[in-house]
Amino acid sequence: MGVIPLTEAPSIHPSFPPSLLAGSSEGLTEVFAALGEAIDAVRAAARPTGPIPAGAPADVLLSAAQALGPARLPAEGLGGKAALQLLATTLTEHGIDLSHPRAAAHLQPPSLAVAVAADALASATNASLDTYDSGPSAIAVERWLIGVLIDLAGLGKRADGVLTPGGSLSNLLGLLLARDAAALRRGLNARQDGVAALPGPVVFCSELAHFSVQRACAALGLGEAAVHPVPTDERRRMRPEALAAALAALTPDQTPLAVVATAGTTDFGSIDPLPQIAEIAADRGIWMHVDAAYGFGALFSERLAGRLAGLELADSVTLDLHKIGWQPAATSVLLVSDTSAFTALDREVAYLNPTDDSEAGYDGLLGRSLQTTRRPDAVKAAATFLTHGRTGMGRMVEICHDLARYAEHRILEEPELELVAPVELTTVVFRYRGGDPADSDRLNGALRRRLLESGSALIGRTEVRSGGPGSPQRVCLKFTLLNPTATADDIDGLVDAVLDAGRACVRLTEESAA
């Protein structure tokens, strides 16, 4: 390698003060001082009266963009105080307030205060999990958190896990491990040679499984057509006998890679019969992945934990602590029953984990993830668990479940509302009946948009098949209740807001028809 030496030393600008960098003690002091100033700006901002700003979407987005100014990098900065105050004001006045008791649209909870504070500390260190010398304490915290979650899931001594950027990525990683395990059983190396040599790959899942299963199969080169949906029963759970029949119908030129069971469907919170599915998968030697992104949090509650019986039989499990866990996004985890499953991800890179360093103990978590640089998301979850313990976490889960049951009761009492499914976890799916059944889909969609534009309530929508196979999908409304500070009065207010909006939409329809 030819190196051209400098003929003279370069001139260097004067250094910035130590307070510029968050990792220094001066910088940490500056971080929390700046956060205090941002909080002052939040207090002074014109916070929306509801969970979301009132107005048409285009107007709200334009207003937020105008507050930030022209979309170009300024020649001179505003300074930290002014920049944070501007952003804090913009986020508050034009953003969502998940702590509002009428924020009930998605599996997107308000973050716990201790988790946000811990996340700021984690960001200040800017540690990474790939190598020992990128963040030893962060590695220790993640290993501790994984151990806690393994114990909660009952997965056993050989289990392992890793944090990921989200549930969709956890499902992708779980199916990647399943794919490679299936290939190895056939004497193939999918990582090295690709999937072309793997004949007719098939992945089974409930017809109500999350769409990330299809996305994962597309990304893994299997194709979305590899996903074979299995029918569900009246409680919207995968039917084990239908799974067994589908497996029995496979031809010799098809390769079953995995059965994906769902523990907490997005709309209904329904939990597939895990013990029966595990038995069927084990009899055929097929990987069982459980997407418990939503439902895993039920394990915090002694009252609800039994609903996840059989989870300990899984080969891999997805869980999202940014759902029932109240963590800032993203805090997802993939657990595996046997640490050797991660062998397919092993990499030796000269500048990261050379063999002699690894043998000497200077190793990180590069071989458990598809990522290289990986932020210490475990810190916020560890702070939460250490603060609240299982009792505190379980109480939050049970409050949200009780709120959902109360909403179910209230909906059943209202003649204008129709409950679509009984409550399982913390979601409630229902419809506004209206006057004309033929117009009900349009009416339910218009009702939700009316609430959104008014800013008074934030609820979800979905589509549900109203009868058997082939019956039409009907537009439905949904409460997703993840605020442990909400009360029965708040639920009453939410239901009343739906009724008021529905009646207003009916009046507008009648007036336009007159």
Side-chain angles (χ1 to χ4, degrees):
M1 294 183 292
V3 179
I4 302 174
L6 293 172
T7 56
E8 59 183 56
S11 61
I12 300 176
H13 287 290
S15 297
F16 284 97
S19 60
L20 180 75
L21 303 178
S24 67
S25 57
E26 298 93 338
L28 279 174
T29 301
E30 183 71 19
V31 165
F32 287 99
L35 284 174
E37 292 169 349
I39 291 167
D40 290 339
V42 169
R43 290 184 179 131
R47 183 184 291 271
T49 56
I52 198 166
D59 295 336
V60 173
L61 293 172
L62 178 61
S63 181
Q66 288 175 338
L68 294 172
R72 60 174 179 268
L73 184 65
E76 297 295 333
L78 302 175
K81 179 177 179 179
L84 283 172
Q85 288 177 336
L86 172 60
L87 284 168
T89 301
T90 302
L91 290 172
T92 302
E93 293 184 349
H94 309 285
I96 189 171
D97 178 7
L98 292 171
S99 67
H100 195 286
R102 292 191 188 180
H106 303 292
L107 287 166
Q108 181 186 8
S111 299
L112 292 168
V114 69
V116 174
D119 204 26
L121 282 174
S123 293
T125 68
N126 201 29
S128 180
L129 280 295
D130 51 330
T131 66
Y132 173 87
D133 54 353
S134 292
S137 60
I139 291 172
V141 172
E142 177 160 317
R143 302 314 298 152
W144 180 87
L145 179 68
I146 293 298
V148 169
L149 295 171
I150 287 170
D151 179 67
L152 201 58
L155 284 175
K157 293 181 179 180
R158 287 194 55 78
D160 205 341
V162 67
L163 270 76
T164 81
S168 293
L169 271 296
S170 290
N171 284 340
L172 171 66
L173 184 56
L175 287 174
L176 182 152
L177 300 181
R179 179 201 70 183
D180 289 358
L184 285 174
R185 287 196 297 271
R186 287 179 171 259
L188 304 172
N189 186 332
R191 167 179 151 180
Q192 180 68 35
D193 302 322
V195 298
L198 199 59
V202 178
V203 172
F204 295 96
C205 66
S206 156
E207 61 182 338
L208 297 178
H210 194 266
F211 63 85
S212 59
V213 176
Q214 280 84 356
R215 277 188 167 181
C217 287
L220 292 171
L222 309 173
E224 292 195 9
V227 180
H228 289 211
V230 178
T232 54
D233 61 18
E234 68 282 355
R235 292 181 58 188
R236 294 175 169 83
R237 306 174 306 170
M238 185 194 295
R239 290 169 44 206
E241 72 280 6
L243 172 64
L247 282 165
L250 290 176
T251 59
D253 60 347
Q254 291 178 298
T255 305
L257 302 186
V259 174
V260 179
T262 304
T265 56
T266 303
D267 284 336
F268 305 104
S270 48
I271 298 169
D272 290 338
L274 303 180
Q276 296 95 315
I277 293 171
E279 182 179 2
I280 292 169
D283 286 346
R284 296 291 298 263
I286 302 170
W287 187 283
M288 177 184 172
H289 175 73
V290 178
D291 179 0
Y294 175 20
F296 188 91
L299 291 177
F300 295 128
S301 161
E302 291 187 11
R303 188 176 86 196
L304 300 175
R307 300 183 181 212
L308 269 72
L311 185 70
E312 72 280 0
L313 303 173
D315 293 292
S316 57
V317 178
T318 287
L319 64 106
D320 282 358
L321 294 174
H322 56 260
K323 291 185 171 67
I324 297 184
W326 297 278
Q327 298 301 292
T331 322
S332 184
V333 180
L334 179 78
L335 300 177
V336 296
S337 63
D338 192 326
T339 187
S340 65
F342 284 126
T343 302
L345 299 176
D346 281 347
R347 283 288 186 278
E348 181 186 340
V349 183
Y351 64 88
L352 292 176
N353 60 343
T355 300
D356 54 340
D357 275 0
S358 296
E359 290 174 349
Y362 293 95
D363 201 6
L365 303 179
L366 180 67
R368 288 177 175 80
S369 176
L370 291 171
Q371 299 170 262
T372 303
T373 302
R374 189 159 61 82
R375 74 185 304 271
D377 286 311
V379 172
K380 56 197 175 190
T384 297
F385 289 178
L386 291 169
T387 299
H388 295 285
R390 185 175 183 184
T391 299
M393 298 295 291
R395 182 167 172 242
M396 286 187 267
V397 173
E398 289 172 9
I399 288 171
C400 294
H401 181 249
D402 290 342
L403 290 170
R405 294 296 304 276
Y406 182 84
E408 175 185 49
H409 172 75
R410 177 68 198 278
I411 288 166
L412 287 170
E413 288 187 327
E414 295 293 341
E416 294 164 87
L417 302 178
E418 173 192 353
L419 184 72
V420 173
V423 165
E424 291 286 345
L425 294 174
T426 67
T427 56
V428 192
V429 181
F430 63 100
R431 283 168 56 82
Y432 185 85
R433 295 182 191 274
D436 181 4
D439 192 44
S440 62
D441 284 350
R442 184 203 63 80
L443 175 61
N444 278 272
L447 184 164
R448 178 176 179 270
R449 289 191 296 274
R450 184 180 182 88
L451 290 173
L452 280 172
E453 188 162 351
S454 72
S456 61
L458 182 59
I459 68 172
R461 68 174 281 177
T462 187
E463 293 188 2
V464 178
R465 201 173 299 283
S466 57
S471 62
Q473 296 268 30
R474 308 307 302 270
V475 174
C476 297
L477 304 174
K478 181 171 66 168
F479 295 155
T480 303
L481 301 170
L482 291 175
N483 186 340
T485 69
T487 65
D489 287 344
D490 294 321
I491 299 302
D492 285 333
L494 194 56
V495 173
D496 289 343
V498 169
L499 291 170
D500 290 343
R503 291 161 186 161
C505 289
V506 170
R507 283 196 303 272
L508 286 174
T509 300
E510 292 172 348
E511 289 168 3
S512 64

